[in-house]
Amino acid sequence: MAVETIKWVNNSARIIDQTKLPNKFEYIYCRDVDRMWHAIKRLEVRGAPAIGVAAAFGVLLGIQKFKGQDKDKFLKLFYKTCDYLATSRPTAVNLFNMLNAMRGVVEDNPKADVEALKKLLFKKAMQIFKEDQEVCRRMGDHGAKLIKNGMNCLTVCNAGALATVDYGTALGVFYSAKKLNKKFSVYSCETRPLLQGARLTCWELTRQKIDTTLICDNMAASLMGKGKVDIIFTGADRIASNGDTANKIGTYMLAVLAKHHGVPFYIVAPRSTFDLKIKSGKQIPIEERKPEEVTHFAGIATAPKGVKVYNPAFDVTPAKLITGIVTEYGIIRPPYLKNIYETFSTR
Amino acid sequence: MAVETIKWVNNSARIIDQTKLPNKFEYIYCRDVDRMWHAIKRLEVRGAPAIGVAAAFGVLLGIQKFKGQDKDKFLKLFYKTCDYLATSRPTAVNLFNMLNAMRGVVEDNPKADVEALKKLLFKKAMQIFKEDQEVCRRMGDHGAKLIKNGMNCLTVCNAGALATVDYGTALGVFYSAKKLNKKFSVYSCETRPLLQGARLTCWELTRQKIDTTLICDNMAASLMGKGKVDIIFTGADRIASNGDTANKIGTYMLAVLAKHHGVPFYIVAPRSTFDLKIKSGKQIPIEERKPEEVTHFAGIATAPKGVKVYNPAFDVTPAKLITGIVTEYGIIRPPYLKNIYETFSTR
C-alpha cells in the first residue's frame, strides 16, 4: 500500500497528519512523548491499531533521552510515560494493550539493566509495528472470502491503512478482494463530525482504484431500503469478551439498519482490539469530545452560539447485531462468548 | 413567533435568506419570478409549506408587470409562469398543490378579465399565506397533546417557522407544548449535508428558550439505544394516499431506528403536503442534488477530488413505520389508506 501511516525514523515517530488529508499530505515528526500524546489526542494519528503502535513508539520517545544507569529512576520514568500515554484517549483498547505489552517487557526482564531494557523495549515496539502489518494482511485475506462479484459494500469512518501501520482492517478486506480481482463497489459513510470517511477512506480507496461512492451517514438507510447494500464491514475500537463492539459513532446505527434490512454486518479487528477482561460493552468507556467538532467547520460556526451539544466519539454495537468478526485467525461467529474464548485462549 | 420567513412587501416577496443563518440574518427581496425560482432552487427559501407560499408569490411576481387587457397573452404568461416555477424543485408537493390552487382561480373564473384575474390571484396568494399560519397553529395544538412532561423529543432538518410562513409543522408541536408550560427537551439532528437542523432548528428553538441539544445524524441511534429518546416528530415533503412519506434524507433512518427501539414516530404535515393522486411512496420523485454539497464546506474540499457522490435530498418512509400523522384536522393513525381518505374526503 505504501501509505506509511506511522514509522520510526531517526529517533522520532513520523506520522502522516491525518487532520490535513485529503487537501495536504504532511508528516509530523514526534520527537518527544508530549508531542505524541497530542498527536493521539488531536487525531493526527487515529484508528485503534495505529494508536496502539503510536503508544509503543511514544514509550520509546519518553525513555530515549534518559541518561545514566539508575534503574529506579529509569523505571519511574518508564511507568510515568506509560501512564501519561494512557490518558490520551479512553476507548480504543489497543492503546492500553500495547502499553501493557511494553510494561510486560520490563516485568519479564527483572534483571536487565537500563541499556538492556532500552534495547528490549525498542525491539518490542518494532515487533508491534511489524505484527500490525502482518495481522492486517491476514484479516484482509479472511474477510475477502465474504466478498462476491457484483457486491455493493459499505463502511464507516476509516478502518484502512491510515488506521493501522498499513493496509487496514475493514479496508484491508477490500484491498485483499481487489488483489483477487473481485469486482465490487464501496459506499463510504462520510462519518460526522470529523469526516474520516470522506477525507480518509475515500482518499485511500480512490488511490487504490476501488469503485467508491461517498454518502452522508444519514443516507445509508435509504440505500439499504433500496437493496443497494449487500454487506457492511467496519473496524472496531474495543471488543468485549461477549462480542459487544465499540466503534466510531454511527456504527450502531448501521448495525440496526443492517438487521432491519437483512444485510450481513461484519466487524474486522485484530486480537489487540479485544478486551477479554470485560464482560460486555457496558464496561467500555466512551469518549465524549468537544462541542466545537459539531458546531464549527474550519472555524466557521454552523450552529447558533451556546446550543448544547452531545458529541460521543463512539457507540457500542451489541453482539447480537453482528454477523461475524473477522480476525487474523479467521472469522468468529456466534455464540461469541464461547467462540471468542476458544479463538484466543491458546494464543 | 415573529420570524416572518416569507412576506409580500411592496410588490415583492421578501424572504429570509436561510443559507446565511445562523451567522447572518438577511432578507432577499424577490422582485421577479426568476429570482424566486432561484431562491427555491438554492434553498434560500425551503421547507414544503414555505415553498408552496413562495410558489404562489412567484406567480404574482410573474404576472404583476403584465400590461394591457389581452387575456390570451395574460393566460399564456400565467401558465408559463406556473410551469416554470414547477421546475424549481421536484419533491415537495406543496409547490405543485399551490400552483394548482392558483391555476384553479383562473379556471374557476372563465369570464374574468385581466384586471379581475390579477386581483383574484393576489387574493388567493394572500389566502394561501394566511391559511399556512392558521394551519400550523392547529397542527401544533394537536401534536402538543403527545408531549408529556419530562419527555426527550427528537427531530430532523427544519420543520419550523423557517419551513412555513411562521410557527412550523414538527417544531410547531414544540411551540404549542411550550405555551402549555410542558417541560421537555429536544434533540436536533444536524441534518447533513446542508445542516438545516444545526443552522435553522437550533436557531429557532434556542430563540424560543426550548432546551435543545444538537447531535450529528449518526448519533440518534446511540441515544435511542440508551433510552434517551421518547418521541420523534418530523415534517414531510409529500405524503402518498397510503401514508408513505417523503421527507428530508435521514428520516427513514430515524423511522427504522424508532421501530427497533420502540420509540413513537410522528409526521407533522398539513393537508397541502398530501398527494392523494399517488398510491404509494414509490411514485414520489426524489431530488438528487449536486455532489459539492457533500464534498465541500464553505469552499473547502472535505473529500478527494473526483470521488463519486450519492446525494439524494429526501427519502421515503413507508407508512408501516409511522405511528401517526399530525394534521390540522387531528392525528391520523393506521390504517392510513382508509383514515387519510376519510379525514380529507369531506374537506
Side-chain angles (χ1 to χ4, degrees):
Chain A
M1 303 294 295
V3 166
E4 296 195 327
T5 301
I6 181 165
K7 196 174 180 181
W8 189 258
V9 178
N10 294 333
N11 300 321
S12 72
R14 190 192 71 188
I15 59 171
I16 297 171
D17 184 351
Q18 300 195 29
T19 64
K20 300 242 171 81
L21 284 173
N23 294 317
K24 287 183 189 170
F25 185 97
E26 286 179 10
Y27 289 121
I28 293 167
Y29 290 84
C30 299
R31 295 194 167 86
D32 57 49
V33 64
D34 203 48
R35 184 66 189 87
M36 180 58 92
W37 188 94
H38 282 97
I40 297 170
K41 183 74 177 176
R42 289 183 202 139
L43 278 53
E44 290 159 345
V45 62
R46 30 66 52 202
I51 291 174
V53 176
F57 284 1
V59 172
L60 298 187
L61 294 171
I63 59 167
Q64 70 179 357
K65 285 168 195 157
F66 182 86
K67 303 283 178 200
Q69 294 300 325
D70 187 329
K71 192 169 168 184
D72 284 349
K73 277 191 185 167
F74 176 80
L75 289 183
K76 202 174 161 187
L77 175 67
F78 169 78
Y79 284 114
K80 199 179 127 189
T81 301
C82 291
D83 292 348
Y84 175 55
L85 285 163
T87 64
S88 57
R89 295 192 72 192
T91 304
V93 78
N94 307 60
L95 176 73
F96 310 103
N97 283 344
M98 293 306 117
L99 290 173
N100 281 340
M102 296 296 272
R103 287 189 190 100
V105 169
V106 170
E107 284 149 23
D108 293 348
N109 295 281
K111 290 179 181 166
D113 64 12
V114 171
E115 284 313 304
L117 281 179
K118 276 188 174 181
K119 278 181 192 158
L120 287 167
L121 286 165
F122 182 83
K123 199 177 150 195
K124 184 69 185 176
M126 293 309 140
Q127 184 196 334
I128 288 169
F129 169 82
K130 206 180 161 197
E131 275 181 4
D132 183 80
Q133 299 173 68
E134 293 166 6
V135 153
C136 282
R137 277 168 177 74
R138 285 162 59 191
M139 283 187 287
D141 293 347
H142 286 300
K145 293 171 198 156
L146 299 167
I147 296 185
K148 292 176 179 56
N149 279 323
M151 269 191 172
N152 298 313
C153 312
L154 185 144
T155 189
V156 63
C157 197
N158 174 270
L162 291 166
T164 58
V165 170
D166 189 16
Y167 210 69
T169 56
L171 301 195
V173 171
F174 302 142
Y175 298 141
S176 289
K178 173 92 176 167
K179 277 198 287 188
L180 296 168
N181 284 318
K182 296 193 181 187
K183 308 291 177 209
F184 60 96
S185 71
V186 179
Y187 287 107
S188 170
C189 293
E190 62 173 4
T191 318
R192 283 282 292 156
L194 296 179
L195 301 174
Q196 292 94 334
R199 296 189 301 105
L200 309 178
T201 292
C202 289
W203 181 81
E204 276 196 32
L205 294 179
T206 54
R207 265 168 63 107
Q208 300 301 325
K209 313 268 184 239
I210 288 172
D211 181 359
T212 308
T213 302
L214 172 63
I215 60 168
C216 297
D217 306 312
N218 59 14
M219 296 168 185
S222 170
L223 281 174
M224 288 189 223
K226 291 177 180 170
K228 289 188 178 173
V229 178
D230 299 305
I231 192 165
I232 298 173
F233 294 98
T234 84
D237 288 84
R238 192 186 297 216
I239 304 173
S241 51
N242 71 342
D244 290 353
T245 297
N247 190 44
K248 177 55 55 192
I249 189 73
T251 303
Y252 173 59
M253 166 193 83
L254 292 175
V256 172
L257 295 172
K259 178 84 173 179
H260 182 84
H261 295 96
V263 175
F265 178 88
Y266 287 91
I267 299 289
V268 188
R271 168 68 183 88
S272 57
T273 301
F274 285 78
D275 183 354
L276 302 184
K277 296 186 304 298
I278 61 171
K279 284 184 181 173
S280 82
K282 285 180 190 154
Q283 292 167 267
I284 302 175
I286 298 297
E287 178 181 12
E288 284 196 38
R289 295 182 61 88
K290 57 183 181 177
E292 289 75 14
E293 289 184 353
V294 179
T295 57
H296 286 68
F297 183 87
I300 301 167
T302 55
K305 213 172 167 179
V307 70
K308 290 198 289 185
V309 174
Y310 175 59
N311 183 23
F314 305 95
D315 56 28
V316 175
T317 298
K320 65 179 176 190
L321 296 176
I322 299 168
T323 310
I325 305 174
V326 181
T327 75
E328 65 268 46
Y329 302 112
I331 302 171
I332 305 178
R333 296 188 181 272
Y336 287 113
L337 189 65
K338 174 175 168 286
N339 290 342
I340 288 172
Y341 177 79
E342 286 181 0
T343 301
F344 296 132
S345 61
T346 56
R347 292 179 168 112
Chain B
M1 304 293 295
V3 166
E4 295 195 328
T5 301
I6 181 165
K7 196 175 182 181
W8 188 258
V9 178
N10 294 332
N11 299 322
S12 73
R14 190 192 71 188
I15 58 171
I16 297 170
D17 184 352
Q18 301 195 31
T19 64
K20 301 242 172 83
L21 285 172
N23 294 318
K24 286 183 190 169
F25 185 98
E26 286 179 9
Y27 289 120
I28 294 168
Y29 290 84
C30 299
R31 295 194 168 85
D32 57 49
V33 63
D34 204 49
R35 184 66 190 85
M36 181 57 92
W37 188 94
H38 282 98
I40 297 170
K41 183 74 178 177
R42 289 182 203 141
L43 279 53
E44 290 159 345
V45 61
R46 30 67 53 202
I51 291 175
V53 177
F57 284 0
V59 172
L60 298 187
L61 294 171
I63 58 166
Q64 69 179 359
K65 284 170 198 157
F66 182 84
K67 302 284 178 200
Q69 293 299 326
D70 187 330
K71 192 169 167 184
D72 284 350
K73 277 190 185 166
F74 176 80
L75 289 183
K76 202 173 161 187
L77 175 67
F78 169 78
Y79 284 114
K80 200 180 126 189
T81 301
C82 291
D83 292 349
Y84 175 56
L85 285 162
T87 64
S88 57
R89 295 192 73 192
T91 304
V93 78
N94 307 59
L95 176 73
F96 310 104
N97 283 344
M98 292 306 116
L99 290 173
N100 282 340
M102 296 295 271
R103 288 190 190 99
V105 169
V106 170
E107 283 149 23
D108 293 348
N109 296 281
K111 292 180 181 166
D113 64 10
V114 171
E115 285 312 304
L117 281 178
K118 277 188 173 179
K119 277 181 192 159
L120 287 166
L121 286 165
F122 183 82
K123 199 178 149 194
K124 185 68 185 179
M126 292 309 139
Q127 186 197 334
I128 288 168
F129 170 81
K130 204 180 162 198
E131 275 182 3
D132 184 81
Q133 298 173 68
E134 293 166 7
V135 154
C136 281
R137 275 166 179 75
R138 284 162 60 191
M139 282 187 288
D141 293 347
H142 286 301
K145 293 170 197 157
L146 299 167
I147 297 186
K148 292 177 180 57
N149 278 323
M151 269 191 171
N152 298 313
C153 313
L154 185 144
T155 189
V156 64
C157 196
N158 174 269
L162 291 166
T164 58
V165 170
D166 189 18
Y167 212 69
T169 55
L171 301 195
V173 171
F174 303 143
Y175 299 141
S176 289
K178 174 91 176 170
K179 278 198 287 187
L180 296 169
N181 284 317
K182 295 192 180 188
K183 308 291 177 208
F184 60 96
S185 71
V186 179
Y187 288 107
S188 170
C189 294
E190 62 172 7
T191 317
R192 283 282 292 155
L194 296 180
L195 302 174
Q196 292 94 333
R199 295 189 302 105
L200 309 179
T201 292
C202 289
W203 181 81
E204 275 196 33
L205 294 178
T206 54
R207 264 168 64 105
Q208 300 301 326
K209 314 271 185 236
I210 288 172
D211 180 359
T212 307
T213 302
L214 173 62
I215 60 167
C216 297
D217 306 312
N218 58 15
M219 297 167 184
S222 170
L223 281 175
M224 289 189 224
K226 290 176 181 171
K228 289 188 179 174
V229 178
D230 299 304
I231 192 165
I232 299 174
F233 293 98
T234 84
D237 288 85
R238 192 185 297 216
I239 304 174
S241 51
N242 71 343
D244 290 354
T245 297
N247 190 45
K248 177 55 54 192
I249 188 73
T251 303
Y252 173 59
M253 166 194 84
L254 292 175
V256 172
L257 295 173
K259 177 84 171 178
H260 182 84
H261 295 95
V263 175
F265 179 87
Y266 287 91
I267 299 290
V268 188
R271 168 69 184 87
S272 58
T273 301
F274 284 79
D275 184 354
L276 302 184
K277 294 188 303 298
I278 61 172
K279 284 185 181 171
S280 82
K282 285 180 189 155
Q283 292 167 265
I284 302 176
I286 298 297
E287 179 181 12
E288 284 197 37
R289 295 183 61 89
K290 57 183 183 177
E292 289 74 15
E293 289 184 353
V294 180
T295 58
H296 287 70
F297 183 86
I300 302 167
T302 55
K305 213 174 167 178
V307 69
K308 289 198 288 185
V309 174
Y310 174 59
N311 183 22
F314 305 95
D315 56 28
V316 175
T317 298
K320 67 180 175 190
L321 297 176
I322 300 169
T323 310
I325 306 175
V326 181
T327 75
E328 64 269 46
Y329 303 112
I331 302 171
I332 305 177
R333 296 188 181 274
Y336 287 113
L337 189 64
K338 174 174 168 286
N339 291 342
I340 288 173
Y341 177 79
E342 286 181 1
T343 301
F344 296 132
S345 60
T346 58
R347 292 180 169 111

